[in-house]
């Protein structure tokens, strides 16, 4: 072949390469676990043109799945350093459609497994949208031998670290409209909270974390709910939960004790990976507020409560740990105005959030408090415990301004009648055959426990 022919072929090759590189390609990923299947699809995308990776944000993922182990910035750093990736942009929605319309790629690339899984509806939307500008979708055969769900489950079985767990609550509050917290009083109840999931039309529903309740911890031990000066008794139950779960934990700190004791409580909880402590503005011998006005406790003054919060904030080491002020003015009969006054003072003293409590079944006082609090503080987390006003859904409570919903004692309350019925049935029948349907197979319980299989 002469020089003119070589030059012609070279020019044709250059033209072909220019044609390929002029095409823009879009790929959406979570980027939490990078496995060979992800690398394969990135390579295919880069071969088709200039590859833009839409990296799902925490909020986009948390709306349908568990919040990723790595933060967005950590995931971005990993993905943008993979060969073939031209740029990384945030994908703020679970659906690819908003980013497709924003960047109008010539080609969208995706694994062909979305034809039959929970993304099939989004797949149809993508095909419809990309036709608006004449784009196309290239579906890559799913990489055999790779199971993302199994990889995630394996990561969960490995566990977590105090740092990752402690930081998770703040990430969840930033990412989700409502953070769903369930009470856990033992390792087994913690495992139930950890693993219970339900797939609904709008995605995966699960509990985001656990509430370590003073009431349920003491009651499960057959002891009165009386605040102790030290953490020794509570820490054993807390450790049982920490050792077999990975989700964030909010700790019920009662009054927190005197400021000097509260300082050590904060340091102990923070060191162990607890995400937050909630302390109430009461003082003196603890009496449960469920027992009416005759059990009414003396509330701490604004100065006393704020001093304790300030001392706790000064004691903590990390920025992740949260101190949340529980306001009892409404239960004590002082009204919404007084509750707001105490709440505002607590925030000024450094409180990272506010829990408002009420026994009013209508929920009107809580709703008023939330709306008025939001007028003053738009972004300070609000925590609700809708035990008495439980007719409202999580989305309704979120519309009031709530960020965190705690189901404070339901695991313990559900277990007691079930155990009592089992015991009474055995006494009545004088054998255990009749309780077979009341009891789950012991094998299923053991399967919850890491390391049993």
């Amino acid at each position: 072949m002469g020089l003119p022919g070589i030059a012609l072929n070279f020019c044709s090759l250059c033209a072909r390469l220019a044609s390929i590189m002029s095409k823009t390609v879009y790929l959406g990923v979570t980027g939490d676990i990078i496995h060979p299947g992800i690398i394969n699809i990135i390579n295919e995308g880069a071969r088709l043109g200039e590859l833009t990776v839409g990296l799902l944000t925490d909020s986009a993922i948390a709306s349908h799945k568990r919040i990723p182990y790595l933060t967005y910035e950590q995931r971005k750093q990993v993905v943008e350093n993979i060969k073939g990736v031209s740029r990384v942009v945030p994908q703020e929605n679970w659906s690819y459609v908003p980013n497709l319309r924003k960047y109008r790629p010539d080609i969208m690339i995706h694994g062909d497994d979305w034809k039959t899984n929970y993304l099939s509806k989004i797949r149809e939307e993508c095909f419809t949208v990309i036709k608006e500008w004449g784009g196309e979708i290239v579906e890559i055969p799913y990489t055999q031998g790779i199971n993302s769900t199994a990889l995630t489950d394996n990561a969960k079985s490995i566990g977590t670290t105090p740092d990752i767990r402690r930081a998770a609550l703040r990430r969840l509050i930033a990412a989700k409209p409502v953070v769903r917290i369930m009470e856990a009083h033992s390792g087994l109840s913690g495992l139930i909270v950890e693993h219970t999931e339900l797939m609904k039309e709008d995605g995966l529903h699960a509990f985001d974390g656990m509430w370590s309740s003073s009431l349920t911890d003491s009651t499960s031990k057959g002891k009165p709910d009386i605040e102790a000066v030290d953490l020794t008794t509570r820490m054993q139950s807390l450790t049982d939960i920490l050792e077999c779960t990975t989700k964030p934990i909010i700790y019920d700190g009662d009054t927190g004790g005197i400021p000097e004791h509260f300082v050590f409580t904060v340091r102990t909880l923070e060191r162990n990976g607890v995400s937050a402590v909630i302390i109430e503005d009461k003082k003196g011998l603890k009496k449960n507020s469920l027992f009416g006005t005759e059990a009414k406790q003396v509330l701490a003054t604004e100065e006393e409560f704020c001093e304790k919060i300030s001392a706790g904030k000064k004691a903590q080491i990390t920025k992740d740990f949260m101190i949340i002020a529980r306001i009892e003015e409404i239960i004590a009969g002082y009204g919404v105005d007084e509750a707001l006054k105490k709440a505002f003072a607590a925030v000024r003293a450094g409180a990272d959030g506010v829990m408002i409590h009420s026994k009013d079944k209508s929920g009107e006082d809580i709703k008023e408090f939330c709306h008025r609090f939001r007028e003053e503080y738009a972004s300070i987390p609000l925590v609700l415990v809708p035990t008495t006003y439980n007719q409202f859904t999580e989305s309704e409570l979120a519309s009031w301004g709530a960020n965190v919903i705690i189901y404070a004692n339901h695991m313990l309350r559900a277990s007691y009648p079930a155990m009592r019925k089992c015991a009474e049935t055995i006494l009545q029948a004088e054998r255990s055959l009749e309780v077979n349907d009341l009891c789950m197979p012991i094998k299923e319980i053991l399967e919850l426990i890491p390391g049993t299989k």
Side-chain angles (χ1 to χ4, degrees), residues 8-44:
L8 182 61
N9 286 341
F10 180 74
C11 290
S12 298
L13 178 61
C14 289
R16 184 180 175 190
L17 288 172
S19 174
I20 291 174
M21 293 312 295
S22 67
K23 289 186 178 294
T24 55
V25 184
Y26 185 85
L27 169 66
V29 301
T30 60
D32 201 30
I33 299 177
I34 302 297
H35 52 73
I38 297 295
I39 298 299
N40 178 54
I41 201 168
I42 287 175
N43 288 339
E44 289 297 318

Side-chain angles (χ1 to χ4, degrees), residues 40 143 158 197 215 275 325 330 351 396 406:
N40 178 54
T143 303
I158 293 171
E197 297 178 344
L215 170 63
S275 294
I330 293 177
E396 288 175 304
I406 297 179

Side-chain angles (χ1 to χ4, degrees), residues 352-363:
D352 300 290
V354 168
M355 175 204 276
I356 183 62
H357 211 30
S358 172
K359 293 188 294 183
D360 182 6
K361 293 183 179 180
S362 74

Side-chain angles (χ1 to χ4, degrees), residues 170 262-263 266 308-323 349-352:
R170 284 192 185 271
F262 184 53
V263 163
V266 167
K308 195 177 302 182
I309 292 169
S310 296
K313 292 304 295 180
K314 290 176 183 176
Q316 72 181 70
I317 304 300
T318 70
K319 294 181 179 179
D320 299 323
F321 188 76
M322 301 176 70
I323 297 176
D352 300 290

Side-chain angles (χ1 to χ4, degrees), residues 117-262:
N117 66 18
Y118 56 91
L119 291 173
S120 58
K121 184 177 179 181
I122 291 178
R123 175 180 180 269
E124 294 174 7
E125 294 173 352
C126 290
F127 269 97
T128 300
V129 168
I130 204 164
K131 287 180 181 177
E132 293 175 6
W133 54 88
E136 64 174 314
I137 293 179
V138 175
E139 296 177 315
I140 304 300
Y142 187 76
T143 303
Q144 297 301 312
I146 299 296
N147 187 322
S148 297
T149 301
L151 289 172
T152 301
D153 289 342
N154 287 337
K156 286 168 63 176
S157 69
I158 293 171
T160 187
T161 67
D163 290 339
I164 292 174
R165 191 200 294 260
R166 186 193 311 114
L169 181 62
R170 284 192 185 271
R171 289 181 62 202
L172 283 162
I173 291 172
K176 300 191 69 174
V178 166
V179 177
R180 186 185 295 116
I181 303 294
M182 172 61 87
E183 168 261 320
H185 55 273
S186 63
L188 182 59
S189 62
L191 284 169
I192 294 172
V193 177
E194 178 90 1
H195 294 292
T196 301
E197 297 178 344
L198 180 64
M199 183 60 73
K200 302 174 74 172
E201 287 186 3
D202 59 344
L204 185 70
H205 284 236
F207 294 104
D208 299 303
M210 286 159 264
W211 167 241
S212 176
S213 162
S214 168
L215 170 63
T216 61
D217 180 71
S218 58
T219 304
S220 68
K221 294 180 173 66
K223 296 178 180 179
D225 183 23
I226 299 174
E227 184 173 16
V229 174
D230 59 59
L231 286 172
T232 305
T233 303
R234 292 282 307 280
M235 277 306 301
Q236 183 55 60
S237 298
L238 185 60
T239 300
D240 290 341
I241 298 170
L242 287 166
E243 287 180 344
C244 63
T245 64
T246 64
K247 294 185 177 182
I249 295 177
I250 302 176
Y251 182 85
D252 177 7
D254 292 322
T255 68
I258 62 175
E260 290 80 5
H261 290 156
F262 184 53

